[in-house]
Amino acid sequence: MTENYTHATPLDNITYKEFESNNFEISPQIDSTYDYIQPEEVSNDVAQSDASLTVAAAVVAMLEELGVGCAFGVAGGAMATLWGSLSNSLMQVLNFRHEGGAAFAAVEAHFATNRPTVVFTTAGPGITNALTGLFAARGEGAKVIFLSACTSAPQRGKWAIQETTAYTLPSEGIFTSGALFNYATTVECAAQLPQIFRRLALGLSQPGGFVAHLSIPTAVQTSLVEQELPRLDLQCDRSIPSLNTISKCVSKLTEGKFAIWVGFGARNAAKEILALAEKTGAAVMCSPRAKGIFPENHPQFIGVTGLGGHSSVMTYMQEHKPLYVLVLGTRLGEPTSFWSQAMIPRSGFIHVDIDSQVPGVAYPHVETLPIQADIEVFVQELLAQMPAIETTDSCFPNPEIETIAPGTDNLVRPEVLMSEIQKILVEGTDAVVMAESGNSFTWSTNLLRFDQTGRYRVSTGVGAMGHAVTGVVGAAIARQGLAVAIVGDGAMLMNNEISTAVKYQVPAIWIVLNDARYNMCFQGMKLLGLTGADALIPETDFVTIARGMGADGVRVTREADLTAALEKAIAGNGPFVIDVLIDPSRPAPSKGRNQGLAAQGVKATNTAKQVSFPLV
């Protein structure tokens, strides 16, 4: 059933003439936590023509007006003019060691501040190196603008250095709007800039993510701008559900008990979700990315779902059997639900998301009331009409941390490490904590507890190794405060930006789970009963590497030394690596992932017990 709602016109369906004829109100105001430049503050450099203004300088000035504060990238000759304009702008320009790391850093800088960020690269491999990080930006719902250089028209097809044309790279998807970029174009002349400015502003004004690509030929970067760029009417427009929609939700949710399933898309509605839960007595669960949006120490919190999640969620669904589940801002994809049939409520889902294509996709056979709306606005409207509900369910199953047995002087158990991280970093600082893909993800998601939004970050869309290893630098730079990455040794070897953190003296801490193997793969193959695959890697001394780059660090081989190592890292106020030799035999809480693979046809022969959100 289609619900009534107001929404912004999709970007790809708007032409330049429609911009002019319909007088769209365009706003780069992403949310109320950041005050964007108001119309009267637009600088004369952008609003008026200037015979000496180059395309590169005009593009950079546009980005400043759109609220960009940080730019991350790797330079090259093809984008020398653009790099020069960036370097002399009001933006903080961070020069990274690899374009992939720069892109991941830009993603995390966006989420640390809610401001759009920029990634810049030169032509050819600069572009292709950045694509995985930009793919993650799209999947995570970040607001990132990618600036790249490409070959000038007279040199195309002539084997220019790092030629970037249709002769050498597929144009579809990289230089055009599609699955990777919400908006992409090649700037062939200065006359395009007014239209580009409007399209970027419109995209950034929409709730949710927006990833754009502006490819600027080397010769065009130095050409002069002769026409005025537009002044934009900066007003925020958020999708508001109709009164009929809210009334229908109230009617369904008052029929019987219901649960709330919180996703990352609800991160701006934490206060409202807490009020709704306490007003109605509803149980609350969350996706891995949504940890902390609803306090994990709250008696109504029943656990995290999906990868690294909690068995207490399944206990609730089986014993309390809610009539409905109100889904707020999550796609319910495999990392969040494993598409488990046990998560289906008796009467179906009420699924709210800013993206109209999300509700009903993960569970297409289940009755679903789809609602397209901004989550914060929706919950505010629902609270206004929702009566207080007296519930007989006063006690819900909550996630439990198993008692840890006394340790030894051998290797560090991951669960002991997580306990120390919880005490010293989560409870003792305001640091952003992010976990890398692999067992780092499952241990952190399952065992750490957060009571506020914005403190925990994982990637569940792309899940690229190296995301947190490099993203931690972007988060620390953007928030101007401590950021911590919990990573595996495989990811740390694949891609890191320790050298960048040293250059800018960034307070980033890497905690490396060093077990000399890709342990999620190693343990997963064993549990699936598959033998012969090699997941081992040589043991690496990451403290020696860190010191060789100018950072500090400490190696931990005993559980008794964890506290001192973590406290030293905090006191250092600069880049710091804690290299922890962990016990590789401890089974990570990833049962759901292994059973999910089995459900897709991978034969599982080992049924060893694992504690986690299971696929039932």
Side-chain angles (χ1 to χ4, degrees):
M1 182 179 295
T2 302
E3 289 300 304
N4 296 322
Y5 52 80
T6 60
H7 64 284
T9 306
L11 179 64
D12 288 340
N13 294 332
I14 296 176
T15 66
Y16 184 50
K17 290 183 179 179
E18 287 173 328
F19 272 111
E20 298 298 327
S21 61
N22 289 291
N23 296 317
F24 281 96
E25 293 181 343
I26 302 173
S27 166
Q29 183 171 341
I30 299 171
D31 65 29
S32 59
T33 63
Y34 177 73
D35 294 329
Y36 280 82
I37 299 170
Q38 296 304 308
E40 63 272 13
E41 296 173 313
V42 176
S43 69
N44 291 330
D45 287 342
V46 173
Q48 300 177 6
S49 63
D50 185 339
S52 64
L53 191 67
T54 65
V55 166
V59 168
V60 170
M62 284 164 35
L63 297 173
E64 289 177 340
E65 299 299 338
L66 293 171
V68 175
C70 296
F72 305 82
V74 181
M79 52 93 64
T81 303
L82 185 59
W83 186 32
S85 295
L86 284 167
S87 300
N88 289 284
S89 70
L90 298 177
M91 283 183 269
Q92 185 178 13
V93 178
L94 292 310
N95 295 284
F96 271 56
R97 307 296 170 259
H98 191 275
E99 293 88 351
F104 288 128
V107 172
E108 295 309 317
H110 162 72
F111 287 122
T113 61
N114 289 314
R115 296 179 66 168
T117 57
V118 158
V119 176
F120 61 89
T121 74
T122 192
I127 295 172
T128 56
N129 283 346
L131 290 181
T132 301
L134 295 165
F135 182 35
R138 182 71 184 266
E140 293 293 304
K143 284 181 163 66
V144 176
I145 299 171
F146 177 37
L147 302 180
S148 73
C150 65
T151 305
S152 303
Q155 284 76 46
R156 293 173 189 170
K158 298 169 63 176
W159 302 107
I161 293 175
Q162 297 179 336
E163 178 166 338
T164 302
T165 69
Y167 293 99
T168 59
L169 285 175
S171 59
E172 288 294 322
I174 298 179
F175 301 98
T176 61
S177 305
L180 179 56
F181 297 109
N182 299 93
Y183 170 60
T185 190
T186 299
V187 183
E188 298 288 7
C189 66
Q192 293 174 263
L193 294 183
Q195 181 186 22
I196 291 170
F197 194 11
R198 288 180 179 273
R199 284 183 176 268
L200 292 178
L202 177 64
L204 293 173
S205 73
Q206 306 306 303
F210 178 72
V211 183
H213 181 193
L214 302 186
S215 183
I216 312 176
T218 302
V220 174
Q221 295 172 34
T222 59
S223 62
L224 299 181
V225 177
E226 299 178 355
Q227 76 284 4
E228 293 186 2
L229 298 181
R231 288 182 179 273
L232 303 179
D233 186 7
L234 308 183
Q235 294 186 23
C236 186
D237 177 26
R238 297 195 292 177
S239 299
I240 302 173
S242 68
L243 293 176
N244 179 59
T245 297
I246 296 296
S247 296
K248 187 174 291 187
C249 291
V250 171
S251 176
K252 289 181 178 294
L253 295 178
T254 52
E255 289 178 17
K257 69 177 71 173
F258 72 94
I260 302 172
W261 200 341
V262 178
F264 187 63
R267 60 191 179 278
N268 295 322
K271 179 178 66 175
E272 290 79 7
I273 293 170
L274 177 60
L276 177 64
E278 294 183 338
K279 186 174 185 178
T280 62
V284 181
M285 52 194 163
C286 74
S287 71
R289 287 202 302 161
K291 280 173 68 71
I293 293 176
F294 190 85
E296 294 189 83
N297 57 4
H298 196 285
Q300 288 172 240
F301 182 70
I302 60 173
V304 179
T305 66
L307 188 61
H310 301 117
S311 58
S312 51
V313 174
M314 286 300 180
T315 300
Y316 169 82
M317 294 299 295
Q318 293 165 355
E319 295 181 357
H320 292 253
K321 295 180 170 54
L323 193 63
Y324 289 99
V325 170
L326 175 62
V327 181
L328 301 174
T330 169
R331 292 170 290 214
L332 298 183
E334 183 178 11
T336 293
S337 69
F338 291 117
W339 307 304
S340 171
Q341 300 303 296
M343 294 302 294
I344 299 173
R346 287 179 289 154
S347 294
F349 296 108
I350 300 171
H351 197 156
V352 188
D353 201 274
I354 197 63
D355 185 348
S356 63
Q357 299 184 46
V358 166
V361 172
Y363 292 92
H365 60 291
V366 178
E367 184 72 24
T368 298
L369 175 62
I371 302 169
Q372 184 185 23
D374 176 270
I375 303 299
E376 182 181 12
V377 173
F378 171 82
V379 181
Q380 287 172 348
E381 296 294 322
L382 185 62
L383 271 170
Q385 292 195 35
M386 193 78 183
I389 298 175
E390 293 186 9
T391 176
T392 56
D393 286 337
S394 58
C395 184
F396 295 130
N398 307 121
E400 293 184 2
I401 299 179
E402 295 184 1
T403 302
I404 300 175
T408 65
D409 287 337
N410 295 322
L411 298 172
V412 177
R413 289 167 292 173
E415 54 268 49
V416 176
L417 172 60
M418 294 301 148
S419 177
E420 289 299 307
I421 291 173
Q422 176 73 37
K423 179 177 65 176
I424 296 172
L425 291 174
V426 177
E427 298 173 8
T429 74
D430 67 347
V432 168
V433 178
M434 54 188 66
E436 190 65 80
S437 297
N439 281 358
S440 303
F441 180 116
T442 58
W443 283 116
S444 302
T445 300
N446 189 269
L447 295 179
L448 298 182
R449 301 286 186 269
F450 296 86
D451 59 6
Q452 64 186 95
T453 187
R455 292 286 311 277
Y456 186 67
R457 280 286 299 141
V458 290
S459 171
T460 58
V462 176
M465 291 176 65
H467 186 136
V469 168
T470 55
V472 66
V473 179
I477 287 170
R479 72 189 301 264
Q480 297 182 350
L482 185 63
V484 178
I486 302 171
V487 305
D489 50 347
M492 198 69 176
L493 286 167
M494 183 177 290
N495 191 10
N496 73 69
E497 292 285 345
I498 296 173
S499 174
T500 305
V502 170
K503 176 180 175 66
Y504 299 106
Q505 278 303 291
V506 176
I509 296 174
W510 290 266
I511 302 174
V512 185
L513 278 63
N514 192 344
D515 50 21
R517 63 193 65 189
Y518 297 105
N519 211 9
M520 175 172 272
C521 296
F522 185 95
Q523 293 182 348
M525 294 295 281
K526 182 178 180 181
L527 286 164
L528 291 168
L530 301 174
T531 61
D534 182 8
L536 301 178
I537 56 179
E539 183 180 305
T540 303
D541 186 339
F542 290 100
V543 174
T544 297
I545 292 175
R547 288 176 176 163
M549 293 184 181
D552 197 5
V554 63
R555 171 167 270 209
V556 178
T557 60
R558 301 186 312 149
E559 292 174 355
D561 297 331
L562 284 170
T563 299
L566 292 167
E567 290 177 344
K568 182 177 180 180
I570 296 171
N573 199 32
F576 197 97
V577 174
I578 304 176
D579 186 10
V580 186
L581 298 188
I582 65 166
D583 183 352
S585 68
R586 306 295 293 181
S590 55
K591 180 179 182 181
R593 171 60 172 162
N594 296 321
Q595 292 193 355
L597 289 171
Q600 296 178 53
V602 179
K603 186 177 180 181
T605 60
N606 192 321
T607 57
K609 181 181 178 182
Q610 287 178 290
V611 178
S612 73
F613 175 92
L615 180 70
V616 178

